[in-house]
Amino acid sequence: MPRKIAVGNWKMNGTAADLDQIKALAPTAASAGVATLICPPASLISRAAGLGVDIGAQDCHAGVSGAHTGDLSAEMLADAGATHIITGHSERRQDHNETDADIAAKTQAVWRAGLTAIICIGESEAQYRAGETLDVIAAQLAGSVPTGAGPQNTIVAYEPIWAIGTGLTPTVDEIAKVHAFIRAQLAKALPEGAEVSLLYGGSVKASNAAEIFAVADVDGALVGGASLKAADFGPIVTALATAS
Ligand code: PEP
């Protein structure tokens, strides 16, 4: 069975004062009994680790070390306390021109450091409107998910770009169709592909979480805005725990 997991992506938000949100989330995460991960900005990782919630990073460089000013390797992030690293978030694909090949290389770096990669894929609004969603997803899976991926080292997050931070979400039927497609593609491509956890991301909040978690092949969520406050993210974690 794929493992359930609720992931919060703080993006470029948070300073030391916000560590209190992780402390406040810890009892909910512990009692819910589902994996709960917060990906704060890299500046907070070492201070966030050990507060009772698993901690991840939002990106890494593909190399181990060297002349790459401002970058962090997966090994450095592991050393700081990260257990997971997001690769291929649409904001990195857009703002930093990251390609599927870059994301595959970063994913291999995550594995090299002994961590789990959370690989993000998803179509733009124009691609959605043109009915190209499954073609885009197939191409991103083929290009961004290296052979060697499996439930022990990889999670895949489907995040339609037009749903991120907009308050818009696909219908549950649309989420079901895309997740079933991703599951089938991974099962075809990888020996244990069917066991990889699949997350939905894009405007998940406490009020829609239960409905989304009831969708077949949705094993959890990647949450942006609603992960910043424990009072918002806690109910999402609880909804995941109670989803069948
Ligand atoms: C995200 O950051 O990946 C995301 C899904 O953001 P939001 O939940 O704010 O739409």
Side-chain angles (χ1 to χ4, degrees):
M1 283 279 285
R3 189 164 166 252
K4 288 187 187 185
I5 178 166
V7 181
N9 172 18
W10 281 12
K11 311 191 187 194
M12 198 172 73
N13 298 292
T15 57
D18 298 294
L19 295 170
D20 284 348
Q21 297 301 323
I22 298 176
K23 290 182 202 157
L25 182 67
T28 309
S31 63
V34 290
T36 305
L37 180 79
I38 291 287
C39 301
S43 54
L44 289 180
I45 289 174
S46 63
R47 283 174 284 174
L51 297 182
V53 177
D54 287 341
I55 296 299
Q58 300 172 15
D59 176 51
C60 66
H61 191 280
V64 179
S65 61
H68 303 291
T69 302
D71 282 319
L72 293 168
S73 69
E75 285 78 1
M76 291 169 174
L77 294 162
D79 181 55
T83 56
H84 295 63
I85 302 179
I86 298 171
T87 59
H89 192 282
S90 61
E91 288 153 15
R92 303 255 357 142
R93 290 179 187 260
Q94 284 175 337
D95 299 353
H96 300 271
N97 300 315
E98 290 190 6
T99 64
D100 285 333
D102 295 328
I103 292 150
K106 289 182 179 210
T107 298
Q108 281 171 317
V110 175
W111 298 344
R112 185 188 65 219
L115 306 187
T116 297
I118 303 172
I119 305 174
C120 300
I121 56 174
E123 81 283 5
S124 68
E125 183 175 6
Q127 291 164 333
Y128 171 73
R129 290 195 186 285
E132 295 168 359
T133 298
L134 297 186
D135 292 338
V136 171
I137 295 301
Q140 289 178 333
L141 285 172
S144 315
V145 182
T147 53
Q152 76 289 355
N153 60 16
T154 300
I155 293 167
V156 171
Y158 168 56
E159 299 206 302
I161 298 168
W162 52 272
I164 296 177
T166 60
L168 303 172
T169 54
T171 65
V172 287
D173 287 348
E174 288 171 325
I175 295 173
K177 184 173 163 192
V178 177
H179 276 244
F181 180 76
I182 296 170
R183 181 83 74 212
Q185 294 288 111
L186 292 176
K188 203 165 52 175
L190 303 164
E192 291 182 278
E195 304 304 316
V196 170
S197 296
L198 305 184
L199 310 185
Y200 167 77
S203 296
V204 175
K205 41 192 189 286
S207 59
N208 63 13
E211 182 185 36
I212 291 170
F213 294 146
V215 175
D217 294 312
V218 173
D219 304 311
L222 178 51
V223 182
S227 71
L228 294 170
K229 300 284 179 210
D232 295 327
F233 197 48
I236 296 173
V237 173
T238 305
L240 180 60
T242 52
S244 55

